[in-house]
Amino acid sequence: MAQSQGWVKRYIKAFCKGFFVAVPVAVTFLDRVACVARVEGASMQPSLNPGGSQSSDVVLLNHWKVRNFEVHRGDIVSL
């Protein structure tokens, strides 16, 4: 019984260490570098969701380029 409790404690400790490292790294990456978003509706047609399809397109929003003012003519910008 004592061995099983020791295993559970080690598992919980390892999970917490990983969680408290992974969450800040993931949040920083999603805020500063890039994130994935869905585009729904007719606002971006015909570039995205062509032909009035009911499905949504998935796009990668590049925060890095916008933060460094590397936006060029023809780029799609999301606010």
Side-chain angles (χ1 to χ4, degrees):
M1 188 73 168
Q3 286 180 335
S4 65
Q5 288 178 349
W7 178 81
V8 171
K9 280 185 177 183
R10 282 186 283 138
Y11 178 77
I12 291 173
K13 187 175 180 180
F15 175 80
C16 288
K17 280 184 181 179
F19 181 81
F20 288 118
V21 169
V23 169
V25 169
V27 168
T28 301
F29 179 83
L30 293 174
D31 186 48
R32 301 285 180 181
V33 179
C35 67
V36 177
R38 266 192 331 204
V39 177
E40 299 173 343
S43 64
M44 292 300 295
Q45 286 178 346
S47 298
L48 301 173
N49 293 338
S53 64
Q54 296 299 324
S55 63
S56 60
D57 286 344
V58 178
V59 295
L60 178 69
L61 301 177
N62 188 343
H63 298 288
W64 193 264
K65 292 278 189 179
V66 173
R67 191 173 303 279
N68 294 328
F69 302 106
E70 296 176 18
V71 180
H72 302 290
R73 183 180 182 98
D75 290 346
I76 297 173
V77 179
S78 173
L79 300 176

